[in-house]
Amino acid sequence: MKMILSIFLLAAIGPAQESKVIPTTTTPEIDEDKVTVVYLSPGYTTSVRVPDEVNSVMIGNPAIFKAEHSEAEPKLVFLKPITAQPGESNAMITTKSGRSVVLHLVSSGNTANARVDFLVAYHRPKTLL
């Protein structure tokens, strides 16, 4: 009986150990002419920080991805895939100052060695003045 239980536990733990996440952070400049690719994975939340307060968040395919925004954290948006299957969609974050951030969301699904953007922290373009 102990042997069967041990085999069952090893079988249950084995696949979980094979799947590794490669956590990354990116700090792009806000540029309304560029699309930022954001890598997501099931079981993880990606935080997107913008320099201004968020006005609205739109997801192209809400059956694959979910976005959350709280007034308590006015400059943060949280994104996550809601399905274990691979998928892609677009998203747009608009700020109260009128800026917009365009995202290309990519979820690898439950695959091994998946890159996941834990934080995407936008910053304003640097000027000479």
Side-chain angles (χ1 to χ4, degrees), residues 1-78:
M1 181 69 177
K2 287 182 182 179
M3 186 173 176
I4 293 173
L5 182 59
S6 297
I7 293 171
F8 175 74
L9 288 174
L10 288 175
I13 294 171
Q17 291 176 344
E18 290 176 19
S19 177
K20 294 182 181 177
V21 169
I22 303 165
T24 60
T25 62
T26 57
T27 55
E29 264 186 18
I30 284 192
D31 185 349
E32 295 184 11
D33 295 330
K34 291 185 180 177
V35 176
T36 304
V37 178
V38 179
Y39 297 94
L40 302 108
S41 183
Y44 296 90
T45 298
T46 296
S47 302
V48 179
R49 184 181 333 142
V50 292
D52 305 316
E53 290 186 28
V54 174
N55 189 39
S56 65
V57 181
M58 287 109 357
I59 298 286
N61 191 343
I64 299 175
F65 297 99
K66 180 179 181 180
E68 295 179 8
H69 169 66
S70 169
E71 293 298 323
E73 295 289 345
K75 297 180 181 182
L76 283 175
V77 174
F78 303 101

Side-chain angles (χ1 to χ4, degrees), residues 70-123:
S70 169
E71 293 298 323
E73 295 289 345
K75 297 180 181 182
L76 283 175
V77 174
F78 303 101
L79 303 168
K80 62 182 175 180
I82 54 176
T83 178
Q85 302 300 317
E88 296 183 33
S89 185
N90 66 323
M92 182 178 217
I93 300 169
T94 60
T95 65
K96 291 186 178 178
S97 67
R99 294 183 188 265
S100 60
V101 173
V102 181
L103 307 170
H104 176 193
L105 307 177
V106 177
S107 174
S108 59
N110 285 334
T111 59
N113 300 326
R115 174 185 169 182
V116 179
D117 288 319
F118 280 16
L119 173 65
V120 179
Y122 281 93
H123 62 88

